[in-house]
Each structure stands twice: as C-alpha cells, then as structure tokens.
Amino acid sequence: MKQQVLYLDLAKYYDLIYYWKDYKKEVVKLNKIIVRYKKSKGKDLLEVACGTGHHIKYFKKTFSCTGTDINQGMLNIAKKKIKNVTFKKADMVNIKLNKKFDVITCLFSSLGYIKTYQNLKKTLLNFSKHLKPGGVVIIEPWYTKSAYLAGSPHMSTYDGKDLKISRLVVSKVKGNISIMDMHYLIAEKNKEVKHFIDRHEMGLFEIDKTLQFMKLAGLKSKFIKNGLMKGRGLFVGIKELK
C-alpha cells in the first residue's frame, strides 16, 4: 500500500489534526462490546493500524496490548508516547505475528486503505488466524458507496497559538474507490507556510460483502449501525469455540 504524507512527513501533526476525537470515550464503548461478545479468557489485544496509539493508551489499562501499523512515522510517535506496549511495523493484508489474541481491533476506517475486495478477504482471514477461539474482532469500516458523498467539500482546522493547520478536500469516487486529494496548509511560528497535497484512496466496501467474507474466515459476525463515528458503524466477529 502507498504510504500517505500524513503518516510520514506530517505524522508529528496527526494528533493535532484529530484533536477533536474522543479516544477515551470510544474505548469505553468498545470495552462494553468486548465484554458482551468475547468468550475467551485472556487479555491479549492487538490493534491493527494503531497509528499514534491513542486507543491503546486507554486499552492498556485493561489489556496486554500489541500495536501494528504500516507507517513507521506513526509508530515512532506511538513508541515515544506509550510505554510497556509492543509496537511492530506490519501490513494488515499479510500480517504474521506468530501469536493469537483475545481481541483484535481495526479502527478509524483504516480497513479502507486495502482498497480491494481481494485484499479484504485476505485481511479478514489474517485477522481470524490471529484470533483465539472465543476471541472477538472489532472493525470500524470506511463508508459504503451509497453513504459516501462524492463532490462534497470538507474542511478541518487546528488553531494553536504558534501553529495553525488547515485541511481542505473535495471528495471523489472512481469505481469502488473513494479518492481524496487533501490539501494541507501549515503555518508555524517563525517559519514559512507549508503546503502539502496528500492523496488518500480507500475502498468502498458493502456491508453484506464484508459480513460474507467474515463468515468465510470463520467468524460469527454482525454489523452494529450505531458505531463510533456517524455513518460508519462497526463490524463485530467472534471466532467460535472449538
């Protein structure tokens, strides 16, 4: 998968760009789902596409955590920020950790970056292989094609004292792929304004198809419409006890 500037050169700004996201509240909700559905007895949790580790910061109060991400820039920040957690560079499509977990999470629509249904099938099989019998996987997907608003403009800003960030994008669709050319303007004290353009291409996977692939991967699954973010939902899959 192509790595985006946001996760490399701009990784140090990532947590500021998403300053509004309430990770603690999200983990409280996720923990309730885990308690409801998990049948295995252990406390090993894997977060796939962990980013800078904000969810793990709260998960580690309950679980023994491992975080993986394809972007070394994000992992470098996570390692500095969070101690006593194993962080590894890995692509979710072909991840191989030689360990099984009680909980696997893949959040903030990171699954969309694998782009194709072929990769989706491989990824879900991979998740299942890394899951203990009775373990649970929770996936926060990207939008479906019908829910994604092509042609709509979006803007987000961060307004600090010595740092200002503006991000603008007009959404596009090509086939089953959403395309976002994100324009970043970054103004820092005593520095020239920087302009970055960062293309993000993400697969628009349908709910029924994802559930079908989860079933093929040996996961008893359901889709929860009321997820963490509006319009995205959550997939929950349980690996049946043998």
Side-chain angles (χ1 to χ4, degrees):
M1 287 188 288
K2 180 184 176 183
Q3 297 184 357
Q4 282 68 36
V5 176
L6 175 61
Y7 308 134
L8 296 169
D9 299 338
L10 303 186
K12 63 182 178 180
Y13 304 117
Y14 182 88
D15 289 337
L16 299 178
I17 292 168
Y18 293 109
Y19 73 92
W20 48 266
K21 192 168 176 63
D22 193 339
Y23 291 89
K24 184 177 181 180
K25 183 178 179 181
E26 290 186 358
V27 169
V28 168
K29 183 167 186 173
L30 292 165
N31 278 336
K32 289 178 181 177
I33 294 172
I34 292 166
V35 168
R36 181 175 179 181
Y37 291 102
K38 184 173 80 72
K39 306 302 180 187
S40 63
K41 303 299 182 184
K43 292 287 185 179
D44 293 314
L45 181 145
L46 168 65
E47 181 169 11
V48 178
C50 65
T52 61
H54 256 328
H55 284 114
I56 284 180
K57 176 183 176 182
Y58 299 104
F59 273 134
K60 72 188 291 284
K61 296 177 182 179
T62 306
F63 298 96
S64 174
C65 297
T66 299
T68 64
D69 202 285
I70 196 172
N71 301 287
Q72 190 62 49
M74 303 292 272
L75 290 173
N76 291 343
I77 293 172
K79 288 175 182 178
K80 290 178 183 178
K81 191 164 61 176
I82 302 167
K83 305 303 179 185
N84 302 316
V85 169
T86 301
F87 290 103
K88 295 183 178 182
K89 185 177 180 180
D91 184 337
M92 69 176 80
V93 177
N94 52 31
I95 189 172
K96 188 175 181 181
L97 299 178
N98 297 314
K99 181 178 178 179
K100 294 184 183 293
F101 298 85
D102 300 278
V103 180
I104 297 176
T105 63
C106 184
L107 305 171
F108 210 2
S109 301
S110 302
L111 193 74
Y113 283 107
I114 63 176
K115 292 173 66 171
T116 69
Y117 279 115
Q118 182 180 8
N119 282 340
L120 178 62
K121 189 174 182 179
K122 289 180 182 178
T123 300
L124 294 173
L125 283 167
N126 240 331
F127 287 176
S128 184
K129 288 176 184 177
H130 285 81
L131 205 58
K132 296 177 187 177
V136 61
V137 58
I138 303 173
I139 300 168
E140 182 180 22
W142 184 231
Y143 294 101
T144 62
K145 193 170 183 177
S146 60
Y148 186 76
L149 299 175
S152 58
H154 303 271
M155 180 176 73
S156 59
T157 59
Y158 171 78
D159 189 13
K161 181 181 177 183
D162 297 322
L163 174 65
K164 316 286 185 183
I165 303 172
S166 178
R167 182 178 69 179
L168 293 104
V169 61
V170 177
S171 57
K172 305 172 187 174
V173 172
K174 185 176 181 180
N176 291 320
I177 305 291
S178 65
I179 301 171
M180 295 165 288
D181 289 319
M182 295 185 177
H183 292 250
Y184 293 89
L185 285 172
I186 301 174
E188 293 186 73
K189 186 177 181 179
N190 297 324
K191 293 183 180 181
E192 293 291 328
V193 175
K194 291 182 281 190
H195 177 214
F196 296 88
I197 302 175
D198 197 22
R199 172 163 286 202
H200 293 249
E201 297 183 355
M202 301 175 72
L204 298 164
F205 301 134
E206 296 305 318
I207 294 170
D208 58 348
K209 195 75 171 178
T210 303
L211 288 170
Q212 179 187 338
F213 286 161
M214 291 179 79
K215 184 178 180 180
L216 288 172
L219 301 169
K220 185 179 179 182
S221 305
K222 67 181 298 182
F223 178 73
I224 300 173
K225 189 175 182 180
N226 183 22
L228 305 178
M229 297 182 71
K230 186 178 179 181
R232 304 193 193 187
L234 289 170
F235 289 101
V236 179
I238 306 99
K239 192 164 185 179
E240 296 190 45
L241 290 164
K242 294 181 180 179

